[in-house]
């Protein structure tokens, strides 16, 4: 059917439907929801006897909620949450802490901002669809500016003024060095079992803690080592005073454990002509004890192990 002017006539049965407008999106940068860390990073400060998984499990990549581990000024994770993330690799121990510190450098490398996009509401599209531009900069009809580019631009603050930092004197150390063993203070307030032993909330220095170790039953002398540093309490026999390459012994036992499948504890006892000597290791720290030939009581070993873990937590970086 045609009109008098020859044009086709539309009816209600065949209306002309306009094409739907293309969707408008906004692109923005936001904080990451998850951090992807290796299991080895999550268990860096885990008590050694709590790990029961195989070595290849530490290469697994775990998605950890970023908000959960970055609630404080240093990254940490609850021991219970870590067990849920690695259920077949971590067991509950009597001396397990509530929180496990995470290495700040590895968390910083895994922290990456995310770029997302969202559909703009119609109100935003209408508000920004006709920006006021000078005639010389008006866009041509052939190349319209996308809607996400027409959003109001944020006003940035001016850059901070450059601050001149004096250069360190010749031979001076530019950055602070880690605290020596004698300077490490263990906060008793955050270590309930140590607080119960000493009966106060003061920060306890490592030399004082070693004196307490020396006073335990059957312990004749003790020494805490970290690399070339050491702090002693008691008298060592001449044959035991020299540095001992105990790291090689621990490495050999670890290799035996991996090849044989036998789970070994991080402690070794040797018997010499001058008496028995035990080595208890936790990460970078080694506790050497000269004791009675009959060995150390189970309760004494538990206290020493608890103390060694507390010192390690106090020396961990608090970034």
């Amino acid at each position: 059917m045609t009109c008098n002017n020859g044009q086709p006539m539309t009816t209600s049965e065949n209306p002309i439907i306009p094409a739907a407008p293309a969707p408008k999106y906004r692109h923005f940068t936001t904080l990451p929801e998850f951090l992807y860390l290796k299991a080895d990073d999550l268990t860096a400060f885990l008590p050694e006897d709590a790990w029961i998984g195989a070595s290849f499990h530490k290469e697994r990549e775990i998605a950890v909620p970023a908000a959960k581990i970055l609630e404080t000024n240093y990254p940490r994770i609850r021991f219970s949450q870590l067990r849920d993330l690695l259920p077949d690799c971590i067991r509950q121990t009597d001396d397990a802490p509530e929180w496990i510190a995470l290495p700040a450098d590895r968390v910083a490398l895994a922290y990456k901002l995310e770029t997302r996009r969202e559909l703009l509401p119609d109100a935003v599209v209408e508000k920004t669809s006709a920006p006021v531009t000078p005639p010389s900069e008006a866009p041509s009809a052939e190349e319209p500016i996308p809607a996400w580019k027409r959003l109001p631009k944020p006003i940035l603050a001016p850059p901070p003024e450059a601050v001149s930092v004096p250069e360190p004197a010749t031979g001076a150390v530019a950055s602070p060095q880690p605290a020596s063993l004698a300077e490490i203070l263990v906060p008793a307030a955050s270590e309930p079992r140590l607080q119960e032993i000493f009966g106060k909330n003061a920060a306890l220095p490592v030399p004082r803690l070693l004196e307490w170790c020396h006073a335990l039953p059957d312990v004749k002398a003790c020494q805490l080592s970290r690399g070339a540093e050491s702090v002693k309490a008691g008298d060592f026999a001449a044959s035991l005073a020299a540095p001992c390459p105990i790291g090689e012994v621990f490495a050999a036992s670890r290799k035996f454990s991996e090849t044989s499948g036998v789970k070994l504890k991080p402690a070794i006892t040797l018997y010499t002509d001058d008496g028995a000597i035990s080595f208890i290791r936790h990460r970078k720290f080694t506790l050497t004890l000269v004791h009675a030939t009959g060995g150390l009581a189970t309760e004494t070993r538990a206290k020493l192990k608890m103390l060694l873990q507390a010192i390690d937590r106090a020396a961990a970086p608090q970034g």
Side-chain angles (χ1 to χ4, degrees):
M1 181 181 295
T2 60
C3 298
N4 294 334
N5 56 6
Q7 298 295 327
M9 184 176 182
T10 60
T11 64
S12 59
E13 297 179 355
N14 188 24
I16 298 177
I17 301 175
K24 308 293 183 180
Y25 293 96
R26 178 176 75 94
H27 294 75
F28 60 97
T29 302
T30 184
L31 302 179
E33 184 178 359
F34 292 94
L35 298 184
Y36 296 90
L37 297 166
K38 286 187 177 181
D40 189 28
D41 299 337
L42 296 173
T43 59
F45 298 112
L46 186 72
E48 293 189 7
D49 58 338
W51 177 263
I52 57 175
S55 58
F56 67 86
H57 284 303
K58 292 192 174 183
E59 298 299 322
R60 293 168 52 186
E61 191 174 65
I62 308 297
V64 185
K68 291 288 186 180
I69 66 174
L70 299 175
E71 294 177 339
T72 59
N73 61 345
Y74 68 94
R76 63 178 186 174
I77 188 172
R78 288 188 180 273
F79 183 84
S80 56
Q81 184 183 6
L82 192 56
R83 288 191 62 205
D84 295 338
L85 293 174
L86 298 166
D88 300 329
C89 301
I90 299 176
R91 68 180 183 88
Q92 181 69 42
T93 59
D94 296 335
D95 56 350
E98 180 182 1
W99 293 95
I100 301 295
L102 300 178
D105 56 339
R106 303 179 194 177
V107 173
L109 291 175
Y111 191 92
K112 300 177 181 178
L113 298 178
E114 298 178 355
T115 302
R116 301 179 185 175
R117 74 170 188 173
E118 66 179 5
L119 184 65
L120 288 175
D122 294 340
V124 177
V125 175
E126 293 175 1
K127 183 177 179 180
T128 61
S129 59
V132 178
T133 57
S136 59
E137 299 180 3
S140 62
E142 299 179 357
E143 299 181 356
I145 299 178
W148 66 271
K149 286 188 177 180
R150 296 196 297 267
L151 291 176
K153 298 299 178 85
I155 301 176
L156 301 179
E161 298 181 359
V163 179
S164 60
V165 179
E167 297 182 359
T170 304
V173 180
S175 58
Q177 297 296 322
S180 63
L181 287 180
E183 296 174 345
I184 295 175
L185 297 177
V186 179
S190 62
E191 300 288 345
R193 298 182 67 179
L194 290 183
Q195 182 180 350
E196 179 182 353
I197 294 172
F198 287 94
K200 57 181 179 179
N201 294 332
L204 306 172
V206 166
R208 177 68 182 91
L209 295 174
L210 284 186
E211 292 176 5
W212 169 69
C213 291
H214 184 216
L216 289 175
D218 300 327
V219 177
K220 299 178 180 179
C222 57
Q223 172 181 284
L224 179 67
S225 304
R226 182 183 61 180
E229 297 180 277
S230 64
V231 178
K232 298 180 181 179
D235 296 328
F236 279 81
S239 60
L240 300 180
C244 178
I246 191 60
E248 299 178 6
V249 181
F250 276 104
S253 63
R254 183 168 56 253
K255 183 176 181 180
F256 171 77
S257 176
E258 293 176 353
T259 56
S260 64
V262 178
K263 181 66 176 180
L264 299 179
K265 296 183 178 180
I268 293 175
T269 299
L270 305 176
Y271 296 91
T272 70
D273 295 337
D274 296 308
I277 178 171
S278 290
F279 302 90
I280 303 177
R281 195 168 194 178
H282 182 74
R283 293 179 53 78
K284 297 181 180 179
F285 294 89
T286 302
L287 189 61
T288 305
L289 303 122
V290 179
H291 55 85
T293 306
L296 296 173
T298 304
E299 182 180 357
T300 300
R301 282 187 177 272
K303 291 180 178 180
L304 292 171
K305 186 175 181 181
M306 174 270 299
L307 176 64
L308 195 59
Q309 293 172 352
I311 294 174
D312 179 66
R313 286 192 290 270
Q318 306 294 320

